[in-house]
Amino acid sequence: MTTNKITFLLNWEAAPYHIPIFLAQTKGYFKDEGIDIAILEPSNPSDVTELIGSGQVSMGLKAMVHTLAAKARGFPVTSVGTLLDEPFTGICYLESSGITQDFHSLKGKRIGYVGEFGKIQVDELTKYYGMSPEDYTTVRCGMNVAKYILEGTIDCGVGIECIQMVELEEALKKQGKDPNQAKMMRIDTLAQLTCCCFCSILYIVNDAFLKENGAKVEKFLSAVKRATSYMLQNPHQAWQEYGNFKPQMETELNRKKFERCFAYFSDSLYNVPRDWEKVTNYGKRLEILPPDYEPNYSNAYLTWDEPKEVEDPLKAQQLMAKHQEECKACGGYRRLALA
């Protein structure tokens, strides 16, 4: 038996920032493009690039650093677009843990991480701070970093501002505590990267599938671009429609996550060349990429105009940090306007 369905693998179970993919399905945008998509959810996020790279799945989502490392390890994948652009990533903790913004405060602590590269990033930082991996204990947590922090299984863990940090803040509120006791030690600041793009969530494709089905990939991206534009223009309605299709989204916690993800959604879907250059160099520094590695992305399947890159990306990051603090305090669907 054969099928014309295009298999698309999420980077984890359905989450608030997956909304454009599901809206493209429920609103018939994929059908309008003449393609049929089967959306899959993995049981282990670390399997995603291997399954796509080996051709068992056609397309999917993965962070930039994982996408680079996948091809370097022999799993041929290419990023053809961006879903979530530069979400702040770092070591999340509670003030009660005794951890501060000083990396040395991690000495003797149990540090959780989602997958392999979280541990690599933390261990690499020790070179800059006169410590060694023996100075702390690392614990692989999958997507349960916030849960394990709250349970006391770990003292801190690698997460992103619009997901794990929201989980910690909302848990503190339920306990009658100040949500600002949840803190993040940002990895980009610790590593002096001047960007958070290593955790940008990308649309990735198996290279053989891309070569043979470029027109289908172009149609897929057109559909999710249409869904993204609809969501950005109609966030309340879009969230309601997502909840109708995915009832597990209909919680206050997930709505808060969606609000915090809202500013990170890429409205153009374009891969940003400057970000890819930075993260490729970072991957070489982490020794997960060879010295001569060329980044594996393409904007050739996006049929609309490419936006101009931000002139001062560091300033943009600073403005985004302030913007997200306002979103945390006041809620709502807010986008950062950069001239």
Side-chain angles (χ1 to χ4, degrees), residues 138-149:
T138 50
V139 181
R140 188 163 186 161
C141 302
M143 301 300 285
N144 296 311
V145 166
K147 177 177 182 289
Y148 289 175
I149 290 174

Side-chain angles (χ1 to χ4, degrees), residues 21-69:
I21 296 101
F22 284 103
L23 284 180
Q25 184 83 292
T26 60
K27 296 186 76 64
Y29 297 160
F30 289 137
K31 185 177 180 180
D32 290 347
E33 293 287 343
I35 55 177
D36 193 2
I37 307 297
I39 304 172
L40 311 176
E41 300 179 22
S43 58
N44 183 344
S46 296
D47 292 338
V48 173
T49 48
E50 182 175 344
L51 289 171
I52 297 172
S54 63
Q56 295 180 63
V57 178
S58 305
M59 304 180 67
L61 295 174
K62 204 60 183 172
M64 189 183 291
V65 69
H66 300 105
T67 301
L68 286 160

Side-chain angles (χ1 to χ4, degrees), residues 221-234:
L221 292 168
S222 293
V224 293
K225 172 66 165 66
R226 185 179 172 190
T228 301
S229 296
Y230 172 81
M231 173 205 65
L232 294 177
Q233 294 167 10
N234 309 279

Side-chain angles (χ1 to χ4, degrees), residues 101-339:
Q101 292 293 298
D102 182 355
F103 189 83
H104 296 95
S105 66
L106 296 177
K107 192 167 185 176
K109 302 297 184 181
R110 297 160 299 172
I111 306 174
Y113 62 96
V114 176
E116 176 186 4
F117 294 110
K119 183 179 187 304
I120 290 174
Q121 286 178 302
V122 173
D123 288 347
E124 194 269 344
L125 285 170
T126 62
K127 298 177 183 178
Y128 291 88
Y129 293 93
M131 294 168 60
S132 71
E134 288 72 36
D135 286 326
Y136 45 79
T137 303
T138 50
V139 181
R140 188 163 186 161
C141 302
M143 301 300 285
N144 296 311
V145 166
K147 177 177 182 289
Y148 289 175
I149 290 174
L150 293 164
E151 290 176 350
T153 305
I154 57 176
D155 300 296
C156 58
V158 178
I160 61 176
E161 182 267 335
C162 53
I163 301 294
Q164 284 81 8
M165 284 297 290
V166 179
E167 292 171 353
L168 292 176
E169 291 159 9
E170 293 304 302
L172 289 171
K173 287 180 184 178
K174 286 187 176 181
Q175 296 171 12
K177 298 178 181 178
D178 182 359
N180 291 312
Q181 292 179 22
K183 302 291 185 182
M184 173 183 281
M185 193 186 306
R186 280 174 47 180
I187 289 176
D188 64 307
T189 301
L190 291 169
Q192 300 179 354
L193 298 178
T194 69
C195 75
C196 280
C197 38
F198 58 87
C199 266
S200 291
I201 306 299
L202 310 172
Y203 295 101
I204 68 172
V205 187
N206 170 273
D207 282 358
F209 180 86
L210 182 60
K211 183 178 180 179
E212 297 172 6
N213 299 277
K216 290 182 178 180
V217 172
E218 186 175 301
K219 291 177 179 181
F220 173 91
L221 292 168
S222 293
V224 293
K225 172 66 165 66
R226 185 179 172 190
T228 301
S229 296
Y230 172 81
M231 173 205 65
L232 294 177
Q233 294 167 10
N234 309 279
H236 296 279
Q237 180 65 22
W239 185 249
Q240 183 180 1
E241 292 177 30
Y242 191 21
N244 291 340
F245 184 72
K246 282 284 185 182
Q248 66 266 42
M249 289 295 111
E250 295 184 308
T251 67
E252 183 68 6
L253 176 60
N254 279 326
R255 186 184 63 79
K256 293 273 188 180
K257 290 179 183 178
F258 178 49
E259 287 181 347
R260 294 275 278 279
C261 288
F262 196 69
Y264 295 123
F265 283 108
S266 172
D267 56 355
S268 72
L269 276 60
Y270 267 83
N271 290 288
V272 181
R274 178 166 48 197
D275 291 349
W276 277 90
E277 181 180 355
K278 287 181 179 179
V279 181
T280 299
N281 290 334
Y282 183 45
K284 293 174 182 179
R285 175 175 139 187
L286 292 173
E287 298 181 352
I288 60 174
L289 302 177
D292 59 348
Y293 190 86
E294 293 294 326
N296 48 324
Y297 74 93
S298 172
N299 286 323
Y301 303 90
L302 303 174
T303 57
W304 45 92
D305 292 340
E306 182 175 0
K308 184 180 178 182
E309 288 190 16
V310 175
E311 292 184 5
D312 188 342
L314 181 57
K315 183 178 180 180
Q317 289 278 288
Q318 293 167 345
L319 291 172
M320 180 64 85
K322 181 180 179 181
H323 177 275
Q324 289 302 86
E325 283 298 315
E326 292 173 355
C327 183
K328 180 172 72 173
C330 304
Y333 300 108
R334 302 159 178 262
R335 296 281 288 176
L336 180 62
L338 292 172

